[in-house]
Coordinates of all heavy atoms in Angstrom, one line a residue:
M630 N -144.4 -88.4 -16.2 CA -145.2 -88.3 -15.0 C -146.6 -89.0 -15.3 O -147.2 -88.8 -16.4 CB -145.5 -86.9 -14.7 CG -144.2 -86.3 -14.1 SD -144.5 -85.5 -12.5 CE -145.3 -84.0 -12.8
T631 N -147.0 -89.7 -14.4 CA -148.3 -90.3 -14.5 C -149.4 -89.4 -14.1 O -149.2 -88.6 -13.1 CB -148.4 -91.6 -13.7 OG1 -148.1 -91.3 -12.3 CG2 -147.5 -92.7 -14.2
T632 N -150.5 -89.4 -14.8 CA -151.6 -88.5 -14.4 C -152.4 -89.1 -13.3 O -152.7 -90.3 -13.3 CB -152.6 -88.3 -15.6 OG1 -152.9 -89.5 -16.1 CG2 -151.9 -87.5 -16.6
P633 N -152.7 -88.4 -12.3 CA -153.4 -88.9 -11.1 C -154.9 -89.1 -11.4 O -155.7 -88.6 -10.6 CB -153.1 -87.9 -10.0 CG -153.0 -86.6 -10.8 CD -152.4 -86.9 -12.1
M634 N -155.2 -89.7 -12.5 CA -156.6 -90.0 -12.8 C -156.9 -91.4 -12.6 O -156.2 -92.3 -13.1 CB -157.0 -89.5 -14.2 CG -156.8 -88.0 -14.3 SD -158.0 -87.0 -13.4 CE -159.5 -87.3 -14.3
Q635 N -158.0 -91.7 -12.0 CA -158.5 -93.1 -11.9 C -159.9 -93.2 -12.4 O -160.6 -92.3 -12.5 CB -158.4 -93.5 -10.4 CG -157.0 -93.6 -9.8 CD -156.2 -94.7 -10.5 OE1 -156.6 -95.8 -10.7 NE2 -154.9 -94.3 -10.8
T636 N -160.3 -94.4 -12.6 CA -161.6 -94.7 -13.1 C -162.5 -95.2 -12.0 O -162.1 -96.1 -11.2 CB -161.6 -95.7 -14.2 OG1 -160.8 -95.3 -15.3 CG2 -163.0 -96.0 -14.8
C637 N -163.6 -94.5 -11.9 CA -164.6 -94.9 -10.8 C -165.1 -96.4 -11.1 O -165.5 -96.7 -12.2 CB -165.8 -94.0 -10.8 SG -167.1 -94.5 -9.7
P638 N -165.0 -97.2 -10.1 CA -165.4 -98.6 -10.3 C -166.9 -98.7 -10.4 O -167.5 -99.8 -10.8 CB -164.9 -99.3 -9.0 CG -164.8 -98.2 -8.0 CD -164.4 -97.0 -8.7
E639 N -167.6 -97.7 -10.1 CA -169.1 -97.7 -10.1 C -169.6 -97.2 -11.5 O -170.4 -97.9 -12.1 CB -169.7 -96.9 -9.0 CG -171.2 -96.9 -8.9 CD -171.7 -98.3 -8.3 OE1 -170.8 -99.1 -7.9 OE2 -172.9 -98.5 -8.2
C640 N -169.2 -96.0 -11.9 CA -169.8 -95.4 -13.1 C -168.7 -95.2 -14.2 O -169.0 -94.8 -15.3 CB -170.4 -94.1 -12.8 SG -169.2 -92.8 -12.3
E641 N -167.5 -95.6 -13.9 CA -166.4 -95.5 -14.9 C -166.1 -94.1 -15.3 O -165.5 -93.9 -16.3 CB -166.7 -96.4 -16.1 CG -166.8 -97.9 -15.7 CD -166.9 -98.8 -16.9 OE1 -167.1 -98.3 -18.0 OE2 -166.7 -100.0 -16.8
D642 N -166.5 -93.2 -14.5 CA -166.2 -91.8 -14.8 C -164.7 -91.6 -14.3 O -164.2 -92.4 -13.5 CB -167.1 -90.9 -14.0 CG -167.1 -89.5 -14.6 OD1 -166.3 -89.2 -15.5 OD2 -168.0 -88.7 -14.2
E643 N -164.1 -90.6 -14.7 CA -162.7 -90.3 -14.2 C -162.7 -89.6 -12.9 O -163.5 -88.7 -12.7 CB -161.9 -89.5 -15.3 CG -161.6 -90.3 -16.5 CD -160.6 -89.6 -17.4 OE1 -160.7 -88.4 -17.5 OE2 -159.8 -90.2 -18.0
V644 N -161.9 -90.1 -12.0 CA -161.8 -89.5 -10.7 C -160.4 -89.0 -10.5 O -159.4 -89.7 -10.7 CB -162.2 -90.5 -9.6 CG1 -162.1 -89.9 -8.2 CG2 -163.5 -91.2 -9.8
R645 N -160.3 -87.7 -10.1 CA -159.0 -87.1 -9.9 C -158.5 -87.4 -8.5 O -159.2 -87.2 -7.5 CB -159.1 -85.6 -10.1 CG -157.7 -84.9 -9.9 CD -157.9 -83.4 -9.9 NE -158.4 -82.9 -11.2 CZ -157.6 -82.4 -12.1 NH1 -156.3 -82.3 -11.8 NH2 -158.1 -82.0 -13.2
I646 N -157.3 -88.0 -8.4 CA -156.8 -88.3 -7.1 C -155.6 -87.4 -6.8 O -154.8 -87.1 -7.7 CB -156.2 -89.8 -7.2 CG1 -157.3 -90.8 -7.6 CG2 -155.7 -90.1 -5.8 CD1 -158.4 -90.8 -6.7
S647 N -155.6 -86.8 -5.7 CA -154.5 -85.9 -5.3 C -153.2 -86.7 -5.3 O -153.2 -87.9 -4.9 CB -154.8 -85.4 -3.9 OG -153.6 -84.8 -3.4
Q648 N -152.2 -86.1 -5.7 CA -150.9 -86.7 -5.7 C -150.4 -87.0 -4.3 O -149.5 -87.8 -4.0 CB -149.8 -85.9 -6.4 CG -150.1 -85.9 -7.9 CD -148.9 -85.2 -8.7 OE1 -148.5 -84.1 -8.2 NE2 -148.5 -85.7 -9.8
A649 N -151.0 -86.3 -3.4 CA -150.7 -86.5 -1.9 C -151.7 -87.5 -1.3 O -151.7 -87.6 -0.1 CB -150.8 -85.1 -1.2
A650 N -152.5 -88.1 -2.1 CA -153.4 -89.1 -1.6 C -152.8 -90.2 -0.8 O -151.7 -90.6 -1.1 CB -154.2 -89.7 -2.7
R651 N -153.4 -90.5 0.3 CA -152.8 -91.5 1.2 C -153.8 -92.7 1.2 O -154.9 -92.7 0.8 CB -152.6 -91.0 2.6 CG -151.5 -90.0 2.6 CD -151.2 -89.6 4.0 NE -152.2 -88.8 4.6 CZ -152.1 -88.3 5.9 NH1 -151.1 -88.6 6.6 NH2 -153.1 -87.5 6.4
L652 N -153.2 -93.8 1.7 CA -154.0 -95.0 1.8 C -155.3 -94.8 2.7 O -155.2 -94.1 3.7 CB -153.2 -96.1 2.4 CG -153.5 -97.6 2.0 CD1 -153.5 -97.8 0.5 CD2 -152.5 -98.5 2.7
N653 N -156.4 -95.3 2.2 CA -157.6 -95.2 3.0 C -158.3 -93.9 2.9 O -159.2 -93.6 3.6 CB -157.5 -95.6 4.4 CG -157.0 -97.1 4.6 OD1 -157.4 -97.9 3.8 ND2 -156.2 -97.3 5.6
E654 N -157.7 -93.0 2.0 CA -158.3 -91.7 1.8 C -159.6 -91.8 1.1 O -159.7 -92.7 0.2 CB -157.3 -90.8 1.1 CG -157.8 -89.4 1.0 CD -156.7 -88.4 0.6 OE1 -155.6 -88.6 1.2 OE2 -156.9 -87.5 -0.1
I655 N -160.6 -91.0 1.4 CA -161.8 -91.1 0.7 C -162.0 -89.9 -0.3 O -161.7 -88.8 0.1 CB -163.0 -91.0 1.8 CG1 -162.9 -92.1 2.8 CG2 -164.4 -90.9 1.1 CD1 -163.2 -93.5 2.2
V656 N -162.3 -90.3 -1.5 CA -162.6 -89.3 -2.5 C -164.0 -89.5 -3.0 O -164.5 -90.6 -3.0 CB -161.5 -89.3 -3.6 CG1 -160.1 -89.0 -3.1 CG2 -161.6 -90.7 -4.3
E657 N -164.6 -88.4 -3.4 CA -165.9 -88.5 -4.0 C -165.9 -88.4 -5.5 O -165.3 -87.6 -6.1 CB -166.8 -87.4 -3.4 CG -168.3 -87.5 -3.8 CD -169.1 -86.4 -3.2 OE1 -169.5 -86.4 -2.0 OE2 -169.4 -85.5 -4.0
C658 N -166.6 -89.4 -6.1 CA -166.7 -89.4 -7.5 C -167.7 -88.3 -7.9 O -168.8 -88.2 -7.4 CB -167.2 -90.7 -8.0 SG -167.6 -90.8 -9.8
A659 N -167.3 -87.5 -8.9 CA -168.2 -86.4 -9.3 C -169.3 -86.9 -10.2 O -170.3 -86.2 -10.4 CB -167.3 -85.3 -10.1
G660 N -169.1 -88.1 -10.7 CA -170.1 -88.6 -11.6 C -171.3 -89.3 -10.9 O -172.4 -89.0 -11.2
C661 N -171.0 -90.1 -10.0 CA -172.1 -90.9 -9.3 C -172.2 -90.5 -7.8 O -173.1 -91.0 -7.1 CB -171.9 -92.4 -9.4 SG -170.3 -93.0 -8.7
R662 N -171.4 -89.6 -7.4 CA -171.4 -89.1 -6.0 C -171.1 -90.2 -4.9 O -171.3 -90.0 -3.8 CB -172.8 -88.5 -5.7 CG -173.3 -87.5 -6.7 CD -172.4 -86.3 -6.8 NE -172.5 -85.5 -5.6 CZ -171.9 -84.3 -5.5 NH1 -171.3 -83.8 -6.6 NH2 -172.0 -83.6 -4.5
N663 N -170.6 -91.3 -5.4 CA -170.2 -92.3 -4.4 C -168.9 -92.0 -3.8 O -168.1 -91.3 -4.4 CB -170.1 -93.7 -5.1 CG -171.4 -94.4 -5.2 OD1 -172.1 -94.6 -4.2 ND2 -171.8 -94.8 -6.5
E664 N -168.7 -92.4 -2.6 CA -167.4 -92.2 -2.0 C -166.5 -93.4 -2.3 O -166.9 -94.6 -2.2 CB -167.6 -92.1 -0.4 CG -168.3 -90.9 -0.1 CD -168.3 -90.6 1.5 OE1 -168.3 -91.6 2.2 OE2 -168.3 -89.5 1.9
L665 N -165.3 -93.1 -2.7 CA -164.4 -94.1 -3.1 C -163.2 -94.1 -2.2 O -162.7 -93.0 -1.8 CB -163.9 -93.8 -4.5 CG -165.0 -93.7 -5.6 CD1 -164.5 -93.3 -6.9 CD2 -165.8 -95.0 -5.7
E666 N -162.7 -95.2 -1.8 CA -161.6 -95.3 -0.9 C -160.3 -95.7 -1.6 O -160.4 -96.6 -2.5 CB -161.9 -96.3 0.2 CG -160.8 -96.5 1.2 CD -161.2 -97.4 2.4 OE1 -162.3 -97.9 2.4 OE2 -160.3 -97.6 3.3
V667 N -159.2 -95.1 -1.3 CA -158.0 -95.5 -1.9 C -157.5 -96.7 -1.1 O -157.2 -96.7 0.0 CB -156.9 -94.3 -1.7 CG1 -155.6 -94.8 -2.3 CG2 -157.4 -93.1 -2.4
V668 N -157.5 -97.9 -1.8 CA -157.2 -99.1 -1.2 C -155.8 -99.6 -1.5 O -155.3 -100.5 -0.9 CB -158.2 -100.2 -1.5 CG1 -159.6 -99.9 -1.0 CG2 -158.3 -100.4 -3.0
A669 N -155.1 -98.9 -2.5 CA -153.8 -99.3 -2.8 C -153.1 -98.1 -3.5 O -153.7 -97.3 -4.1 CB -153.7 -100.5 -3.7
L670 N -151.8 -98.0 -3.3 CA -151.0 -96.9 -3.9 C -149.9 -97.5 -4.9 O -149.5 -98.6 -4.6 CB -150.4 -96.1 -2.9 CG -151.3 -95.3 -2.0 CD1 -150.5 -94.7 -0.8 CD2 -152.1 -94.2 -2.7
N671 N -149.6 -96.8 -5.9 CA -148.5 -97.2 -6.8 C -148.7 -98.6 -7.3 O -148.0 -99.5 -7.0 CB -147.2 -97.1 -6.1 CG -146.9 -95.7 -5.7 OD1 -147.1 -94.7 -6.4 ND2 -146.5 -95.5 -4.4
P672 N -149.7 -98.8 -8.2 CA -150.6 -97.9 -8.7 C -151.8 -97.7 -7.8 O -152.1 -98.6 -7.0 CB -151.1 -98.5 -10.0 CG -151.0 -99.9 -9.8 CD -149.8 -100.1 -8.9
T673 N -152.4 -96.5 -7.9 CA -153.6 -96.2 -7.1 C -154.8 -97.1 -7.5 O -155.1 -97.3 -8.7 CB -154.0 -94.8 -7.2 OG1 -152.8 -94.0 -6.9 CG2 -155.1 -94.4 -6.2
V674 N -155.4 -97.7 -6.5 CA -156.6 -98.5 -6.8 C -157.7 -97.9 -5.9 O -157.6 -97.7 -4.7 CB -156.4 -100.0 -6.4 CG1 -157.6 -100.8 -6.6 CG2 -155.2 -100.5 -7.3
L675 N -158.9 -97.8 -6.6 CA -160.0 -97.3 -5.8 C -161.1 -98.4 -5.7 O -161.2 -99.2 -6.5 CB -160.7 -96.1 -6.7 CG -159.9 -94.8 -6.8 CD1 -160.6 -93.9 -7.7 CD2 -159.7 -94.2 -5.4
A676 N -161.8 -98.3 -4.5 CA -162.9 -99.2 -4.3 C -164.0 -98.4 -3.7 O -163.8 -97.4 -3.0 CB -162.4 -100.3 -3.4
L677 N -165.2 -98.9 -3.9 CA -166.3 -98.2 -3.3 C -166.2 -98.3 -1.7 O -166.0 -99.3 -1.2 CB -167.6 -98.9 -3.7 CG -168.3 -98.4 -4.9 CD1 -169.6 -99.3 -5.2 CD2 -168.7 -97.0 -4.8
A678 N -166.3 -97.1 -1.1 CA -166.3 -97.1 0.3 C -167.6 -97.6 0.9 O -168.6 -97.4 0.3 CB -166.0 -95.7 0.8
P679 N -167.5 -98.3 2.0 CA -168.8 -98.8 2.6 C -169.6 -97.6 3.0 O -169.2 -96.6 3.5 CB -168.3 -99.6 3.8 CG -166.9 -99.1 4.1 CD -166.4 -98.7 2.8
E680 N -170.9 -97.7 2.7 CA -171.8 -96.6 3.1 C -171.9 -96.5 4.6 O -172.0 -97.4 5.3 CB -173.2 -96.9 2.5 CG -173.3 -96.7 1.0 CD -174.7 -96.6 0.5 OE1 -175.6 -96.1 1.2 OE2 -175.0 -97.2 -0.6
V681 N -171.8 -95.2 5.0 CA -171.9 -94.9 6.4 C -173.2 -94.1 6.6 O -173.4 -93.1 6.0 CB -170.7 -94.1 6.9 CG1 -170.8 -93.8 8.3 CG2 -169.4 -94.9 6.6
E682 N -174.0 -94.6 7.5 CA -175.2 -93.9 7.9 C -174.8 -92.7 8.8 O -174.2 -92.9 9.8 CB -176.2 -94.8 8.6 CG -176.9 -95.8 7.7 CD -177.9 -95.1 6.8 OE1 -178.3 -94.0 7.2 OE2 -178.2 -95.6 5.8
E683 N -175.1 -91.5 8.3 CA -174.8 -90.4 9.1 C -175.9 -89.9 10.0 O -175.9 -88.9 10.7 CB -174.3 -89.2 8.2 CG -173.0 -89.6 7.5 CD -172.5 -88.3 6.8 OE1 -172.5 -87.3 7.4 OE2 -172.0 -88.5 5.7
D684 N -177.0 -90.7 10.0 CA -178.1 -90.4 10.9 C -177.9 -91.0 12.2 O -178.0 -92.2 12.4 CB -179.4 -90.9 10.2 CG -180.6 -90.6 11.1 OD1 -180.5 -89.9 12.1 OD2 -181.7 -91.2 10.8
W685 N -177.6 -90.2 13.1 CA -177.3 -90.7 14.5 C -178.6 -90.6 15.4 O -178.5 -90.7 16.6 CB -176.1 -90.0 15.1 CG -174.9 -90.3 14.4 CD1 -174.4 -89.7 13.3 CD2 -173.9 -91.4 14.7 NE1 -173.2 -90.3 12.9 CE2 -172.9 -91.3 13.8 CE3 -173.9 -92.3 15.8 CZ2 -171.8 -92.2 13.8 CZ3 -172.8 -93.2 15.8 CH2 -171.8 -93.1 14.8
G686 N -179.7 -90.3 14.8 CA -180.9 -90.3 15.5 C -181.1 -89.1 16.4 O -181.8 -89.1 17.4
E687 N -180.4 -88.0 16.0 CA -180.5 -86.8 16.8 C -181.8 -86.1 16.5 O -182.1 -85.9 15.3 CB -179.3 -85.9 16.6 CG -179.3 -84.8 17.5 CD -178.0 -84.0 17.4 OE1 -177.1 -84.4 16.6 OE2 -177.9 -82.9 18.1
Ligands
ZN1288 ZN1 -168.6 -92.8 -10.1

């Protein structure tokens, strides 16, 4: 069985991916707090998710 661990492209910390992870799922790196997007499966490939401004000016 392959371990569902991937390396963060930003800080190279290990990121745990759920075995039920789906394409485009967002996971947060515990090391750098960046959001990582699952861009490919089998093998799983992570990429930095584009930053989303959550300030809607409310
Ligand atoms: Zn990281």
Side-chain angles (χ1 to χ4, degrees):
M630 286 234 285
T631 56
T632 53
M634 296 295 287
Q635 294 293 318
T636 302
C637 174
E639 185 73 4
C640 69
E641 299 190 345
D642 204 352
E643 287 188 328
V644 182
R645 181 190 293 263
I646 306 297
S647 166
Q648 288 187 319
R651 290 190 287 182
L652 208 57
N653 300 324
E654 187 161 320
I655 300 295
V656 296
E657 185 180 283
C658 173
C661 63
R662 312 295 293 187
N663 275 305
E664 290 188 329
L665 306 172
E666 181 176 359
V667 179
V668 295
L670 295 172
N671 302 312
T673 305
V674 177
L675 293 174
L677 270 178
E680 285 193 38
V681 177
E682 285 289 338
E683 294 190 40
D684 181 9
W685 293 87
E687 190 173 352

